[in-house]
Amino acid sequence: MNHKFHEEHYQKARELVSQMTLEEKTSQLCNEAPAIERLGIPSYGWWNEGLHGVARAGVATIFPQSIGLAAMFDQDMMKTVGDITALEGRIKYNWAQKNNDHSIYRGLTFWSPNINIYRDPRWGRGHETFGEDPYLTSVCAENYIKGLQGGEDERYMKAAACAKHFAAHSGPEGIRHGFNSEVSNFDLHDTYLPAFEWCIKKADVEGIMGAYNMINGVHCCANEEYMEDVMRQKWGFKGYYVSDCGALADMHMFCLITHTAVESAALALKSGCDLNCGQTYLHVLQAYNEGLVTEEEIDRAVIRIMATRFKLGLFDKDCVYNNNTDYLKVECKEHLEKAYEAAVKSTVLFKNNGILPLKKDGIQTIGVIGPNAANIRALEGNYNGTATTYHTVLDGIKENCGDDIRVLYSEGCHLYRKNNASWFGPSDLSSDAMTVAQNSDVIVMCLGLDSSIEGEQGDACNEFGAGDKPSLSFPGYQVEMLEKVKELGKPIILVVLAGGALDLNWSNDNCDAILYGWYPGTMGGSAIADIIFGKQNPSGKTPVTFYRSLDDIPAFEDYNMEGRTYRYLTKKPLYEFGYGLSYTSFETKNEIIMGSIADNSLSISVDVSNTGKFDGDAVVKVYATYGEEKYKTPNKKLCGFTRLSLTSGETKTVTIAIDNAAILLTDQDGSRYLPQTMKLHVEN
């Protein structure tokens, strides 16, 4: 949407709100907003999700989970994912309106993306994010938001994105409702806030969601300093601020910073929280009657949320997006092809001793073993839609083998359960999995997690509760099964479907190849199998560090970044951020730095050559390193990247722009500044 229409929509919102009674105004402040028939305002359900495709609203294209999308390092594809999500969402919304359905998950306000920093691999919701790096997170989110909100009608948004969860919110899940994130000014401004600032300034994100937690004793939905002074006055935010679902009730129930729902409603509204996902704002009218809030403060919130509805063209029949009604475009062939492309680009090859790409010559049988070989939930991730057809890893391998190779299959063991006699234990693994392995020439082990045990509190629950990972080991009998199969001495290709870094130390030493598929979406199994057989070349890069041990990083509850992520780690990891192999090899040379920091025109030019035998995609990453500065400096810092396709033997020259915002350093007091001494270097 063109910026020049912002004020026009706000003026329309002011005029509409001026016609409302006080009771009508306060009725609009919760996520289930009732109709005001005398003013022609229909009811509206604010809560919708679109993390990696339209979620929880029936059939839609399911792209790889966000962590996988980040592994693509592909800005254009991120924009495409946002665009397809918005188109399918708009089509579903328009049909819901025709059928008089104004309920939850039918609106156009998508509470995505999740731009929290995946600072600790134990966090269950980490796979909803774009990984551990603030810059990668910022750029992925920027392009997703632009794809979701932008379109051919510059007067309106196609859909409205919402960056969440503001801020310093990344576990533990089990105590999130009363948790106080103790964060230094340095870490807050160096790690936890930059992506929010980026999304506001560079993507004009329409919504910001406040988190459940407190930061240094101040609740994230009642932090006027950041919600109004920093976000709106300093960063220029022009959208609406919404609480996470139930977060306002947490103020008096768990955080104990207020005593009653009335006090919580008043505190949040006065601080700048415009919309409540929940029911606490049902008490705003009582707060007004008790003199705790003013009508001007109520007007401010209602005008902001009504302006969003105007920006979406919900009151304008001439909005071109209201004509998107071709339901045959939902999960259409073209969209599924993009989901397949994203799954290919997101898959990371961590190890390959030469077994991949797998040649069919001499292979009569392939054993596919493991609880994730045919697990649909391991394709979906969380906050997901429903697919008409799911392509599991088992399906993909069978498609590739056809009649040439016999595919044998065993689930092998339950994903995580150990205490159920109906599933294999360590003494009887040979009963099925071992039989398949013994009769196979090559074995594909499909292990990992799924969103039933890794995810958000209330949605995911493992034996330790709440969806976080108590350890990074494969759960249940997966490790024992893998070790038992290894004893046969046959080639093992390990395929892992999981939402973050698991312990791959033993696997790295003992498996012939390791492919990490994350939660790859509806087309994920086909993409992974095509990589195994060489129809596609892996090109994903891990957006998180794979540590050798949890002993190498601070406690989960500790929000200090020292010792965490590639920027501040102090011990050598198993796989570092940005790592990922290919079937071919790339070389970079002739780096030329152009422009200057002074006028924000810095860029780097580099020749990239495919020196191997396979065509493939190169991911070129630019890192900054620093000399002695005012305060802490990172080991290195991602500040630019691009992806390009190269045929075998081909060379291309690429120029990567380096935005000043990507190279900023942070002083101890949280102030940010441009470096005095800095070097740029390229990695691929």
Side-chain angles (χ1 to χ4, degrees):
M1 189 187 75
N2 194 305
H3 280 276
K4 68 182 181 181
F5 294 103
H6 266 296
E7 184 52 39
E8 178 181 321
H9 294 308
Y10 266 96
Q11 184 55 37
K12 290 179 180 178
R14 292 186 193 99
E15 293 172 359
L16 183 60
V17 172
S18 70
Q19 301 175 58
M20 296 180 186
T21 65
L22 182 61
E23 290 77 8
E24 288 170 337
K25 293 173 185 176
T26 57
S27 75
Q28 298 297 301
L29 295 174
C30 293
N31 61 287
E32 295 180 357
I36 304 177
E37 294 181 1
R38 71 179 188 86
L39 296 177
I41 301 173
S43 60
Y44 183 72
W46 283 85
W47 186 354
N48 206 349
E49 302 287 353
L51 201 63
H52 52 120
V54 178
R56 301 176 177 178
V59 169
T61 303
I62 306 176
F63 291 93
Q65 178 64 294
S66 297
I67 192 68
L69 295 177
M72 300 188 302
F73 279 74
D74 191 328
Q75 299 183 47
D76 291 338
M77 182 59 80
M78 283 303 312
K79 191 175 293 184
T80 297
V81 172
D83 178 54
I84 290 174
T85 299
L87 175 59
E88 294 191 1
R90 184 59 89 146
I91 291 169
K92 285 177 170 288
Y93 169 80
N94 289 339
W95 277 102
Q97 295 301 295
K98 289 178 182 290
N99 290 303
N100 198 32
D101 183 358
H102 305 273
S103 60
I104 190 173
Y105 307 136
R106 296 297 183 268
L108 289 170
T109 39
F110 290 97
W111 290 346
S112 304
N114 184 335
I115 61 172
N116 293 129
I117 300 302
Y118 199 172
R119 65 180 176 88
D120 193 297
R122 287 165 284 204
W123 187 31
R125 297 188 72 179
H127 55 92
E128 298 176 28
T129 77
F130 297 124
E132 70 181 38
D133 181 66
Y135 175 75
L136 178 62
T137 296
S138 298
V139 174
C140 286
E142 174 193 356
N143 285 280
Y144 171 86
I145 292 165
K146 287 179 175 177
L148 190 86
Q149 295 189 169
E152 64 269 30
D153 191 339
E154 65 174 3
R155 300 172 300 166
Y156 302 105
M157 296 183 293
K158 190 158 68 266
C162 176
K164 63 185 183 185
H165 311 81
F166 191 87
H169 178 82
S170 50
E173 284 294 297
I175 55 176
R176 64 180 181 168
H177 290 284
F179 186 69
N180 180 34
S181 300
E182 296 181 359
V183 190
S184 68
N185 284 330
F186 172 80
D187 284 327
L188 188 62
H189 290 271
D190 188 66
T191 295
Y192 298 112
L193 296 186
F196 288 95
E197 181 179 3
W198 190 287
C199 288
I200 289 169
K201 289 183 173 180
K202 297 186 182 296
D204 197 24
V205 67
E206 180 60 20
I208 297 289
M209 176 178 281
Y212 290 114
N213 56 282
M214 297 175 284
I215 298 176
N216 300 326
V218 182
H219 198 279
C220 291
C221 294
N223 194 327
E224 185 174 4
E225 177 186 357
Y226 281 97
M227 293 162 64
E228 290 291 328
D229 298 344
V230 173
M231 195 177 294
R232 293 190 184 275
Q233 302 305 318
K234 185 177 179 181
W235 296 347
F237 180 51
K238 297 180 176 64
Y240 73 98
Y241 194 100
V242 58
S243 74
D244 204 343
C245 300
L248 300 193
D250 288 348
M251 292 183 185
H252 55 274
M253 294 178 65
F254 300 107
C255 297
L256 306 181
I257 59 173
T258 57
H259 297 89
T260 66
V262 175
E263 289 182 5
S264 296
L267 178 60
L269 189 76
K270 292 176 75 69
S271 300
C273 184
D274 306 307
L275 183 70
N276 172 211
C277 182
Q279 298 182 322
T280 301
Y281 271 1
L282 296 177
H283 300 275
V284 167
L285 187 59
Q286 182 179 347
Y288 170 82
N289 290 331
E290 293 180 10
L292 299 178
V293 296
T294 66
E295 186 165 5
E296 288 75 18
E297 290 166 336
I298 295 170
D299 286 352
R300 180 183 65 179
V302 181
I303 289 169
R304 286 173 179 169
I305 60 179
M306 296 308 295
T308 297
R309 294 175 69 174
F310 275 107
K311 293 176 191 178
L312 286 164
L314 303 190
F315 303 117
D316 186 353
K317 294 180 180 179
D318 294 331
C319 174
V320 67
Y321 306 125
N322 292 330
N323 298 321
N324 293 143
T325 56
D326 185 359
Y327 195 77
L328 298 184
K329 290 184 178 179
V330 174
E331 204 199 31
C332 63
K333 180 175 179 288
E334 292 76 16
H335 293 179
L336 289 174
E337 288 173 350
K338 289 298 181 182
Y340 169 83
E341 181 182 347
V344 169
K345 290 181 173 180
S346 67
T347 301
V348 179
L349 177 63
F350 279 130
K351 181 185 178 181
N352 184 20
N353 67 1
I355 191 174
L356 298 180
L358 190 65
K359 297 177 178 62
K360 294 183 180 180
D361 297 344
I363 298 177
Q364 294 182 320
T365 56
I366 290 180
V368 182
I369 301 172
N372 271 346
N375 184 0
I376 288 173
R377 195 157 186 174
L379 301 178
E380 292 177 326
N382 70 356
Y383 283 90
N384 57 282
T386 301
T388 302
T389 303
Y390 293 91
H391 298 256
T392 66
V393 176
L394 177 62
D395 293 332
I397 291 175
K398 290 167 67 177
E399 290 167 4
N400 272 272
C401 290
D403 297 327
D404 300 329
I405 300 173
R406 178 69 186 275
V407 178
L408 307 178
Y409 165 64
S410 171
E411 183 180 1
C413 65
H414 190 268
L415 184 70
Y416 60 89
R417 191 177 295 131
K418 270 196 168 186
N419 58 354
N420 189 323
S422 66
W423 298 97
F424 300 119
S427 62
D428 60 359
L429 282 172
S430 58
S431 63
D432 189 56
M434 293 305 296
T435 301
V436 167
Q438 290 160 348
N439 284 276
S440 300
D441 297 320
V442 176
I443 300 163
V444 179
M445 299 293 296
C446 300
L447 309 181
L449 311 173
D450 70 18
S451 61
S452 69
I453 56 173
E454 180 188 31
E456 184 174 9
Q457 181 192 46
D459 293 335
C461 186
N462 51 46
E463 59 188 294
F464 301 93
D468 290 326
K469 298 185 284 293
S471 79
L472 302 185
S473 297
F474 292 106
Y477 289 122
Q478 293 185 51
V479 172
E480 291 91 333
M481 180 173 64
L482 179 60
E483 292 175 347
K484 190 75 173 177
V485 170
K486 172 63 180 177
E487 292 176 4
L488 299 176
K490 297 188 177 185
I492 295 177
I493 300 165
L494 174 62
V495 174
V496 182
L497 302 184
L502 295 178
D503 182 353
L504 296 181
N505 288 287
W506 187 92
S507 301
N508 186 67
D509 292 337
N510 291 277
C511 294
D512 295 272
I514 302 174
L515 281 168
Y516 225 81
W518 316 103
Y519 296 135
T522 182
M523 301 299 295
S526 294
I528 291 169
D530 285 353
I531 289 173
I532 289 174
F533 287 95
K535 291 180 180 178
Q536 299 287 350
N537 192 343
S539 57
K541 307 293 181 182
T542 176
V544 291
T545 298
F546 279 66
Y547 304 98
R548 293 184 180 274
S549 170
L550 285 176
D551 293 336
D552 294 345
I553 60 175
F556 192 7
E557 296 82 359
D558 186 353
Y559 271 67
N560 186 340
M561 290 301 296
E562 188 68 32
R564 293 188 187 278
T565 77
Y566 81 98
R567 292 181 304 136
Y568 295 108
L569 59 78
T570 55
K571 297 184 179 180
K572 185 177 177 59
L574 180 63
Y575 307 123
E576 68 174 357
F577 171 89
Y579 179 80
L581 301 174
S582 170
Y583 294 155
T584 191
S585 56
F586 300 101
E587 180 181 88
T588 58
K589 58 183 179 181
N590 299 329
E591 297 178 14
I592 302 174
I593 297 175
M594 302 174 290
S596 69
I597 293 175
D599 60 356
N600 197 15
S601 64
L602 192 63
S603 65
I604 186 168
S605 172
V606 62
D607 294 339
V608 187
S609 300
N610 182 342
T611 57
K613 297 179 180 179
F614 295 87
D615 299 344
D617 281 11
V619 173
V620 181
K621 305 178 293 293
V622 183
Y623 290 95
T625 55
Y626 303 91
E628 187 173 345
E629 295 284 350
K630 297 179 182 179
Y631 193 54
K632 296 179 186 177
T633 58
N635 299 321
K636 62 180 181 180
K637 182 177 182 181
L638 182 71
C639 58
F641 64 87
T642 192
R643 170 187 278 266
L644 66 157
S645 297
L646 294 167
T647 58
S648 176
E650 183 180 13
T651 296
K652 291 181 181 178
T653 301
V654 296
T655 300
I656 302 173
I658 309 299
D659 195 294
N660 278 1
I663 58 174
L664 291 173
L665 292 173
T666 308
D667 204 350
Q668 186 172 6
D669 62 1
S671 60
R672 310 202 76 201
Y673 63 95
L674 290 167
Q676 299 299 310
T677 56
M678 179 186 72
K679 293 182 179 180
L680 299 177
H681 72 277
V682 169
E683 298 181 13
N684 66 70

